[in-house]
Amino acid sequence: MIARISGILVEKSVAHCVVDVQGTGYRIFTSLSTFYELPDINQAVVLRIHTHVREDAISLYGFHTEQERAVFQMMISVSGIGPRLAVNILSGITAGEWIQAVAEGNLRRLTGIPGVGKKTAERMILELKDKVAGLAGE
C-alpha cells in the first residue's frame, strides 16, 4: 500500500493532482483543503496517501495533514460513505470542524455539507462519536 508520496507536482486541479516520482506520474484525488495547500507546478510536494483498492481500480487519495487522512479513513468506515463522498465532505468542512461537529452531535453542521443528508450525518455521529475523541487532540 502506498502511504506517502514525495515528488514534483506536475498538474493540479480542484479534483486531483499529478505528482511525478522519478518519472512516474501518480494521479491523486484531493479535497479542496489539500488543493489550497499544494505548491505551484514544478515544485516539490509531499502528500499522505490513502490507497483505495477496488475490483476494477486502484485509487490514491492525498492529504496535506495526517489528521485529514485519519478523518477520511474514519468516514469511509461508515456504511454508505465511499471515498468520493468523504473527499467531498472534506472539501466542505475542515478535518477539525468535522471532528467537532461529530463529537458534539451537530446534525445541522453536517447536513449543511453538500452531499450529506440527515441519515448519513446521523450514521456518522452514531458510529464515530466515540472514535473522534482520540483525534480531537491532534
Side-chain angles (χ1 to χ4, degrees), residues 7 14 24 30 33 38 47-48 53 56 61 67 71 75 78 81 86-87 89-90 95-96 114 116 121 132 134 136:
V14 294
T24 301
T30 60
S33 304
L38 291 174
L47 292 171
R48 289 135 184 95
V53 180
D56 60 341
Y61 294 86
Q67 184 183 52
V71 164
M75 279 190 228
V78 174
I81 299 179
V87 165
I89 291 169
L90 286 169
V116 178
V132 297

Side-chain angles (χ1 to χ4, degrees), residues 5 10 18 21 23 25 31-32 42-43 55 66 69 72 75-76 80 92 95 100 105 111-112 115-116 125 128-129:
I5 287 186
V10 293
V18 176
V21 180
S31 67
L32 283 176
N42 295 322
Q43 298 296 313
E55 175 180 303
E66 182 56 41
R69 178 171 60 175
F72 172 88
M75 279 190 228
I76 63 173
Q100 184 177 0
T111 56
V116 178
I125 291 168
L128 301 176
K129 191 171 187 174

Side-chain angles (χ1 to χ4, degrees), residues 2-130:
I2 298 170
R4 180 180 172 273
I5 287 186
S6 176
I8 303 298
L9 185 66
V10 293
E11 182 182 318
K12 70 178 181 178
S13 72
V14 294
H16 72 274
C17 66
V18 176
V19 177
D20 182 287
V21 180
Q22 297 182 352
T24 301
Y26 293 92
R27 182 175 64 167
I28 303 165
F29 297 100
T30 60
S31 67
L32 283 176
S33 304
T34 295
F35 169 77
Y36 292 132
E37 297 295 330
L38 291 174
D40 293 331
I41 299 296
N42 295 322
Q43 298 296 313
V45 65
V46 176
L47 292 171
R48 289 135 184 95
I49 300 295
H50 171 81
T51 305
H52 187 74
V53 180
R54 286 190 339 220
E55 175 180 303
D56 60 341
I58 298 173
S59 301
L60 303 177
Y61 294 86
F63 307 96
H64 181 68
T65 66
E66 182 56 41
Q67 184 183 52
E68 189 178 20
R69 178 171 60 175
V71 164
F72 172 88
Q73 290 172 331
M74 282 184 141
M75 279 190 228
I76 63 173
S77 73
V78 174
S79 175
I81 299 179
R84 296 281 184 168
L85 178 55
V87 165
N88 288 342
I89 291 169
L90 286 169
S91 292
I93 188 172
T94 67
E97 291 170 334
W98 181 85
I99 290 168
Q100 184 177 0
V102 171
E104 295 172 354
N106 189 341
L107 270 176
R108 185 176 182 161
R109 178 65 179 112
L110 293 172
T111 56
I113 302 166
V116 178
K118 185 177 179 188
K119 287 184 180 183
T120 301
E122 287 172 340
R123 265 197 315 270
M124 280 193 284
I125 291 168
L126 178 68
E127 294 183 29
L128 301 176
K129 191 171 187 174
D130 295 334

